[in-house]
Amino acid sequence: MYKLITAFALLVLFTVSVFAADRVILVGSGAPDPIDAKIIEHLKKLGFTVEPHAHDEKHPVNLNGVALVFISESTSSANITGAYKDSTVPVVNCETWTYDDMGFAPNDTGFSSDPGDTLTILKGDHPITKGLPKKVKVYSSAISIMAANNLAGELTILAVRADDEGRVTMSVYEKGAKTATGQTKACHVNIYAHSTAWEVITTDGWKLIENSILYASGRILAVEPSGKLATTWAGIKNQRGISQ
């Protein structure tokens, strides 16, 4: 009986320690801005504790004991620039205009946030996209989709705009992947969601976002061999006949 009680106590301690580590830093325009209420709701639904920080604070914030950094599009890129570029904590990023500061693009001339509602999945066997259709309607009405056509380095292209396949809407830089300016120290997942669209995201749209959070934080794992994926966007364009 003593051994059983001891084992149970250790299990409880282990469980508490795991969940204590599942804290997410949410970077947005407020601490929090009401516009980000829906993403906070979904993070909590996934079992995370959310710690909001305004973009005009000093960044990076203290990441001790943090499982994930989530950068909302409500963030001003001019405020945080490349603060989380060398983060050792995984990052999910909606703010496309930080991509050059983060080293994912050589400059900000290839970024866009034009209205749209549908993505084309390029890599349907990835844990983030698995089980979703080739064409995914992510918004119930057309709102800004965050995209870039100048990503560089070792990345996995998950999805592009359905109406312009030259613009990447979801991408993954694994830990240790080369970027345009260096190398990542943690997994970075860049996603399509604009902060004005939280209320009109579809079920499939939320599935992509939630899977991105779970994948980046290590709750769902890749089925492919570990290691960085040396796929360049230029190579994808050449394979698919997409103009530069």
Side-chain angles (χ1 to χ4, degrees):
M1 176 64 73
Y2 175 77
K3 289 181 178 180
L4 181 61
I5 292 172
T6 302
F8 178 75
L10 289 172
L11 176 61
V12 170
L13 286 173
F14 174 76
T15 303
V16 169
S17 67
V18 168
F19 280 97
D22 287 342
R23 180 160 54 98
V24 172
I25 296 296
L26 176 80
V27 182
S29 49
D33 188 316
I35 200 171
D36 287 322
K38 205 71 174 177
I39 185 59
I40 292 173
E41 176 187 322
H42 278 260
L43 285 163
K44 289 180 176 178
K45 185 183 79 171
L46 293 174
F48 294 99
T49 298
V50 181
E51 182 182 312
H53 287 272
H55 58 184
D56 55 2
E57 297 177 29
K58 183 179 179 181
H59 290 276
V61 300
N62 187 343
L63 297 180
N64 288 336
V66 171
L68 181 76
V69 175
F70 189 99
I71 301 174
S72 170
E73 182 279 331
S74 67
T75 301
S76 170
S77 61
N79 280 330
I80 68 165
T81 60
Y84 295 95
K85 175 180 180 179
D86 295 319
S87 173
T88 55
V89 172
V91 179
V92 174
N93 191 355
C94 303
E95 178 45 274
T96 300
W97 270 267
T98 64
Y99 290 178
D100 55 327
D101 302 306
M102 299 286 276
F104 304 144
N107 53 59
D108 64 2
T109 60
F111 306 155
S112 63
S113 57
D114 297 334
D117 60 17
T118 304
L119 309 185
T120 297
I121 302 298
L122 295 188
K123 190 168 179 61
D125 60 348
H126 193 277
I128 292 175
T129 55
K130 197 171 181 65
L132 289 164
K134 180 77 172 177
K135 299 286 184 183
V136 180
K137 188 170 184 180
V138 292
Y139 299 152
S140 59
S141 57
I143 292 185
S144 297
I145 292 177
M146 308 305 288
N149 68 3
N150 61 341
L151 298 180
E154 298 172 337
L155 67 152
T156 302
I157 308 297
L158 299 182
V160 295
R161 287 185 65 109
D163 57 0
D164 184 348
E165 294 191 352
R167 291 195 270 179
V168 179
T169 55
M170 297 190 65
S171 60
V172 179
Y173 286 81
E174 299 290 354
K175 179 180 178 181
K178 291 180 181 178
T179 67
T181 59
Q183 193 172 33
T184 59
K185 295 181 180 178
C187 178
H188 290 254
V189 182
N190 301 316
I191 64 176
Y192 69 89
H194 196 277
S195 63
T196 61
W198 295 131
E199 296 295 334
V200 299
I201 294 176
T202 64
T203 299
D204 282 347
W206 277 117
K207 188 69 175 174
L208 286 171
I209 294 169
E210 291 179 353
N211 283 354
S212 295
I213 292 165
L214 295 173
Y215 183 80
S217 61
R219 289 192 177 192
I220 55 174
L221 304 175
V223 294
E224 298 169 311
S226 59
K228 53 197 176 223
L229 302 173
T231 304
T232 65
W233 183 221
I236 292 287
K237 285 181 176 180
N238 288 336
Q239 291 171 16
R240 296 176 62 85
I242 297 170
S243 63
Q244 302 286 336

